[in-house]
Structures are given as structure tokens and as C-alpha cells.
Amino acid sequence: MNDGSVLITGGARSGKSTFAEKLCMKRADSAVYIATAQAYDDEMRERIRIHQDRRHDSEYGWKTVEEPLALPELLDTLGQSPAGAPALVVDCLTLWLTNVLLQVEPEGTQIMEERLSLAIGRLARAVETYPGVVMLVTNEVGSGIVPEYPLGRIYRDWAGVMNQRLAQICGEVFLVTAGIPLEIKSGEYDL
């Protein structure tokens, strides 16, 4: 387990990113914001701009790094910084998973699922060994309608696997609903 890691989950527009940023600002003097989104259309460009403006307006020492695919490798590199491991906000893991899924989709279902499992394993190891504060923003996608298409179901299932794996190793897990963060790991029922 990595006591300095925090998993923040919730639905779309629940306030996850805002909470992650505020929590990071409370725990560290400056941070690296790792953005995994790729702007393929005007709507996504606007979402990215809103996030960028919010960070800029906070006057906090944010440094933004865009990394849609090589997230585990980036965490490993930042964790070995001679100046010390910076605090991180990763926003968001489900977009990262989408990027990985779309990259491996042409390889067929069995190979695709093997690659997703390996990617999630590499990410979990990178988070577990990261020597600094790391806030991981993810979406809770398993509470909605079952996707109509096989790729959507594969994505939903692997997002659940990823979230469970990271929740196990993170020191804290928050569920954000209607802008209200609730720390849920401390109330975990142990079987």
C-alpha cells in the first residue's frame, strides 16, 4: 500500500477533479498535473480549457504534463527526480484506460484484454512505489446502463478492475457525489 496515494472516484461532473486539486493544494506546496485527455473535438477542447483555466486561476504552483498513454513510465520517471518526487494529480485514469484500449483494440479481444491487464498492472506498480503524494482521478462507470456494444462492455469491466486494483493500494479512497467528497476506505468492512 502507498499511504501517500489517493484514489478519487465518482460519476461524470461530480466534482472529482476540483476536489483532487484542492486536496493536493492542501497537502503540497506545488504539484505536477498529469492530463491524460486528448482533444479530438471542440467539446473536449472546451473541457480541457475549463480545467486549465481553473488551475491557472488558483495561482497555485501547477506544472501541467500531458501524457495520454505512457502514464506508468512517467510516474516512474517523476518518482526518481533528483529534486525529489513532486506531488501529482492524475486526471483522469478512465481517459488513460480509453487511450490504451483504443491503441490495442485492433489486436483482437484476447490480446486486447491481456494488454489491458498488463497496462493496469504496470500502473498499479508505479503508483504503489511512487515516493510522493499522488491523487488519482477516475470515473465510477459500473453504476450505469450496461453498454450495448462489446467494446463498451470490455471498457466498463476493465475500468472496474482498474479502480478496484488501485483502491487496494491507495492509502485513501474518496467517492465524490454532487460535489461532496466522502472518504470511503476508512469505513471498509473487512471480511
Side-chain angles (χ1 to χ4, degrees):
M1 181 184 305
N2 179 342
D3 291 334
S5 60
V6 180
L7 182 68
I8 300 162
T9 189
R13 296 287 199 230
S14 62
K16 302 178 302 291
S17 297
T18 301
F19 173 69
E21 292 165 15
K22 287 180 179 179
L23 186 60
C24 190
M25 288 188 282
K26 185 175 182 177
R27 294 187 178 178
D29 294 331
S30 64
V32 174
Y33 190 98
I34 302 173
T36 63
Q38 297 184 78
Y40 290 118
D41 56 38
D42 290 340
E43 187 267 340
M44 185 54 100
R45 278 188 278 283
E46 179 63 13
R47 285 177 181 252
I48 291 169
R49 187 195 59 74
I50 290 168
H51 279 248
Q52 290 170 336
D53 288 351
R54 184 177 61 232
R55 289 193 307 276
H56 180 266
D57 292 347
S58 73
E59 298 181 6
Y60 177 73
W62 292 111
K63 176 185 176 192
T64 301
V65 175
E66 296 179 7
E67 183 47 68
L69 287 166
L71 182 58
E73 295 81 1
L74 179 59
L75 293 179
D76 289 342
T77 299
L78 292 172
Q80 297 170 12
S81 170
L88 306 176
V89 171
V90 178
D91 194 2
C92 93
L93 294 180
T94 43
L95 284 175
W96 170 79
L97 184 66
T98 298
N99 297 335
V100 173
L101 176 66
L102 292 176
Q103 184 182 48
V104 300
E105 177 192 11
E107 298 179 29
T109 303
Q110 182 177 348
I111 293 173
M112 177 176 52
E113 295 205 36
E114 289 171 7
R115 297 273 174 103
L116 290 171
S117 180
L118 289 170
I120 291 168
R122 284 193 305 271
L123 177 63
R125 281 188 296 283
V127 169
E128 193 166 26
T129 59
Y130 192 77
V133 172
V134 59
M135 310 279 166
L136 305 166
V137 178
T138 190
N139 287 287
E140 184 54 53
V141 298
S143 298
I145 297 170
V146 175
E148 182 177 349
Y149 299 99
L151 188 62
R153 290 189 296 275
I154 290 169
Y155 169 75
R156 183 230 22 219
D157 293 348
W158 281 98
V161 168
M162 175 184 68
N163 288 346
Q164 286 186 54
R165 180 96 183 262
L166 291 168
Q168 289 173 346
I169 63 172
C170 286
E172 296 173 283
V173 177
F174 286 87
L175 172 65
V176 181
T177 302
I180 301 170
L182 302 168
E183 202 287 321
I184 59 175
K185 188 159 186 171
S186 62
E188 178 183 16
Y189 184 79
D190 191 21
L191 292 175

